[in-house]
């Protein structure tokens, strides 16, 4: 019996396989440190074989995707000046293969399959954390918080944020009903509980901001593309003015105080100062990808000791741009930030210009979440991380031509507001 390749590689036709692959990938990203190499091999086994099934469609035209590999290639080049070449070589190869897997997923999955897989994946990750997780004491702020099966409450909070976001997107953007509506509701409630239990101010604030953005975008769907652009520009300018005014009027301290934080962000401002000082020693090329936090080096050992990191691992500067500058210099941070801003601006442009584009609607929310978190976390910088996977998936979709969804309504009374009938043609005269 022959099995059709379409159930594995054709977007829309591979919904079952795609959702399972995304869910398992999320689980691997969350707990690969617990399950080790077998879990990483499972992740590769989910995506690499698709190339052998239909390499033309799975790989696509890489001439349109070269910009997505610029930072990954630079991490590989940093081997030549790395202070620990063996560590950089291993990490750079892992990062490049991780990008490759994310782009395979991008080419073979549509937005509905990604959303369903993300809902299932976050639910499995959070259930595992509830069953096998624990509460941890934070010596910096003297509080206890639920970290699940992770080593950090912020990682648990990130998965909870993703669960809430994709549950919202499934019901209110894609219009899921029946079993997937129930699944989205369950995942959303589970994520809300874990978000509250984690007490992660970063995740709570970013989730709230992205939720507000998505609701606002849903409102402007009823406007024409030209009206959307005008409203968006007005709202963006007003938002910047309010944000600047809030900083000067002390709104930041009020918000942080509501979460029991102070203006030092629980020591992060000091950590940022140390990161900036480290970056100034090798400003253009850095010390090599992932070659700073290495046991035996005096500076990371000092910071581990000051922040009570007994494991002497899994720590960072809590800022994507500072961390990237330390490891790959100003050149590296420019390349990474360019991809992130291109993803963010590109999906804004598609959303505002198209009559309806559910793909860019959802991926814009993902890009916004990653952009906001980039100032306090390093979600897009490491291999085998859900943030970097979604980052390259989101950016990669811009390299593909936007296509109308297969279920576009054909009746004129089912059209989206301001959308002309499908068979409409302009009149050229009598």
């Amino acid at each position: 019996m022959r099995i059709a390749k379409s159930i594995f590689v054709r977007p829309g036709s591979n919904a079952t396989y795609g959702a399972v692959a995304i869910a398992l990938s999320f689980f691997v990203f969350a707990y690969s440190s617990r399950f080790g190499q077998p879990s990483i091999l499972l992740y590769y086994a989910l995506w690499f074989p698709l190339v052998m099934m239909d390499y033309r469609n799975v790989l696509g035209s890489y001439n349109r995707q070269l910009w997505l590999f610029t930072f990954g290639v630079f991490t590989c080049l940093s081997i030549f000046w790395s202070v620990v070449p063996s560590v950089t070589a291993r990490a750079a190869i892992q990062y490049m293969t991780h990008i490759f897997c994310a782009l395979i997923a991008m080419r073979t999955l549509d937005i509905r399959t990604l959303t369903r897989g993300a809902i299932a994946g976050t639910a499995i990750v959070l259930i595992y954390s509830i069953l096998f997780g624990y509460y941890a004491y934070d010596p910096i702020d003297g509080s206890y918080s639920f970290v699940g099966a992770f080593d950090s409450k912020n990682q648990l909070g990130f998965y909870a944020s993703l669960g809430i976001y994709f549950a919202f997107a499934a019901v209110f953007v894609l219009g899921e009903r029946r079993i997937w509506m129930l699944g989205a509701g369950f995942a959303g409630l589970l994520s809300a509980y874990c978000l509250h239990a984690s007490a992660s101010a970063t995740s709570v604030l970013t989730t709230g901001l992205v939720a507000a953005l998505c609701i606002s975008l849903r409102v402007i769907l009823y406007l024409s593309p030209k009206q959307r652009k005008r409203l968006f520009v007005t709202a963006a300018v007003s938002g910047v003015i309010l944000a600047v005014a809030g900083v000067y009027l002390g709104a930041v301290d009020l918000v942080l105080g509501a979460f029991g934080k102070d203006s030092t962000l629980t020591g992060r401002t000091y950590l940022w100062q140390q990161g900036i000082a480290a970056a100034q020693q090798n400003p253009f090329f850095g010390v090599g990808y992932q070659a700073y936090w290495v046991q035996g080096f005096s500076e990371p050992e000092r910071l581990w000791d000051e922040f009570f990191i007994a494991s002497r691992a899994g720590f960072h500067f809590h800022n994507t741009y500072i961390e990237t500058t330390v490891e790959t210099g100003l050149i590296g941070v420019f390349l990474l930030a360019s991809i992130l801003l291109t993803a963010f601006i590109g999906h804004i442009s598609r959303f505002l210009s198209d009559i309806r584009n559910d793909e860019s609607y959802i991926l814009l929310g993902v890009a916004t979440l990653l952009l906001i978190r980039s100032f306090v976390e390093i979600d897009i910088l490491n291999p085998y991380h859900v943030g970097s996977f979604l980052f390259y998936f989101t950016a990669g979709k811009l390299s593909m031509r936007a296509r109308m969804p297969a279920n576009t309504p054909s009746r004129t009374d089912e059209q989206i507001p301001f959308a002309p009938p499908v068979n409409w043609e302009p009149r050229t005269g009598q």
Side-chain angles (χ1 to χ4, degrees), residues 10-30:
R10 181 178 298 172
S13 300
N14 61 352
T16 301
Y17 179 80
V20 172
I22 289 291
L24 291 177
S25 295
F26 273 39
F27 189 82
V28 170
F29 299 150

Side-chain angles (χ1 to χ4, degrees), residues 19-31 42-44 46-47 121 125 159 384-386 389:
V20 172
I22 289 291
L24 291 177
S25 295
F26 273 39
F27 189 82
V28 170
F29 299 150
Y31 303 123
L42 171 63
Y43 168 58
Y44 286 140
L46 292 170
W47 302 110
V125 167
Y159 275 91
Y384 314 137
H385 193 289
V386 66
F389 182 86

Side-chain angles (χ1 to χ4, degrees), residues 116-134:
R116 290 178 175 180
I119 290 172
T122 52
I124 295 172
V125 167
L126 296 179
I127 289 173
Y128 184 89
S129 272
I130 291 174
L131 294 176
F132 302 101
Y134 62 98

